[in-house]
């Protein structure tokens, strides 16, 4: 993988996902970018923090809001390795993220292209532009390998 200065936002998200896996967390990583600059990055920390809301997206959104001193992330893009769940998709909407780029589709827990398809709901106040399948094979391999190892296969 390239060094941090030459990494794309999705490569950074994959690095965050790998770091999460190394901590024993489900390997999901997220990066918030605004005007080409990385504002925040995070990986899952639900087990470490004993917090079911400590998903990579939630942590990255919180850190970006802190960094910008704002509750909304207008003009920001989120790069995440896995299709967001309903909680994270809702937070992305409330944060007014401009664009969502995600890696692997999550047929079981996703809420963007799978499941409830939150952004297609008429009650959704803000829907970001969505681009799925970014580095999908790498993101899916991280998840597959993590769960294969956890199951001892």
């Amino acid at each position: 993988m390239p060094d941090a200065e030459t990494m794309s936002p999705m490569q950074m998200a994959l690095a965050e996902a790998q770091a999460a896996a190394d901590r024993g967390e489900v390997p999901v990583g997220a990066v918030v970018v605004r005007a080409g600059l990385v504002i925040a990055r995070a990986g899952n920390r639900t087990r470490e923090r004993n917090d079911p809301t400590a998903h990579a997206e939630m942590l990255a959104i919180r850190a970006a809001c802190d960094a910008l001193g704002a509750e909304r992330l207008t003009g920001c893009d989120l790069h995440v390795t896995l299709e967001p769940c309903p909680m994270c998709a809702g937070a992305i909407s409330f944060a007014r993220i401009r664009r969502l780029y995600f890696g692997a589709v999550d047929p079981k827990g996703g809420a963007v292209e799978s499941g409830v398809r939150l952004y297609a709901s008429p009650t959704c106040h803000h829907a970001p532009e969505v681009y799925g399948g970014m580095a999908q094979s790498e993101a899916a391999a991280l998840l597959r390998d993590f769960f294969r190892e956890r199951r001892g296969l």
Side-chain angles (χ1 to χ4, degrees):
M1 195 166 278
D3 63 41
E5 292 180 12
T6 60
M7 293 171 91
S8 72
M10 188 55 77
Q11 287 171 321
M12 289 180 198
L14 286 165
E16 290 292 335
Q18 182 61 61
D22 294 345
R23 293 189 302 273
E25 302 276 0
V26 174
V28 178
V31 174
V32 177
V33 176
R34 183 174 180 188
L37 299 173
V38 174
I39 305 300
R41 52 193 288 178
N44 274 359
R45 292 184 180 273
T46 59
R47 297 177 65 109
E48 174 186 311
R49 294 186 179 183
N50 296 316
D51 178 358
T53 70
H55 288 194
E57 301 96 319
M58 300 294 285
L59 298 174
I61 287 169
R62 289 174 188 151
C65 287
D66 285 346
L68 296 174
E71 71 174 296
R72 302 257 167 90
L73 298 176
T74 306
C76 292
D77 301 333
L78 178 67
H79 301 257
V80 62
T81 59
L82 182 65
E83 178 184 2
C85 72
M87 173 184 68
C88 294
I92 290 163
S93 176
F94 289 133
R96 304 299 194 264
I97 296 285
R98 177 178 61 174
R99 293 186 193 106
L100 168 65
Y101 299 90
F102 71 87
V105 173
D106 186 357
K108 183 177 175 184
V112 177
E113 291 183 358
S114 307
V116 299
R117 299 179 185 200
L118 180 72
Y119 304 136
S121 169
T123 60
C124 181
H125 294 290
H126 169 77
E129 293 176 32
V130 176
Y131 302 92
M134 312 302 286
Q136 181 171 347
S137 59
E138 297 94 325
L142 270 173
L143 288 157
R144 195 172 39 254
D145 293 348
F146 175 81
F147 286 112
R148 183 180 300 128
E149 185 177 309
R150 298 283 293 209
R151 293 180 183 117
L153 302 174

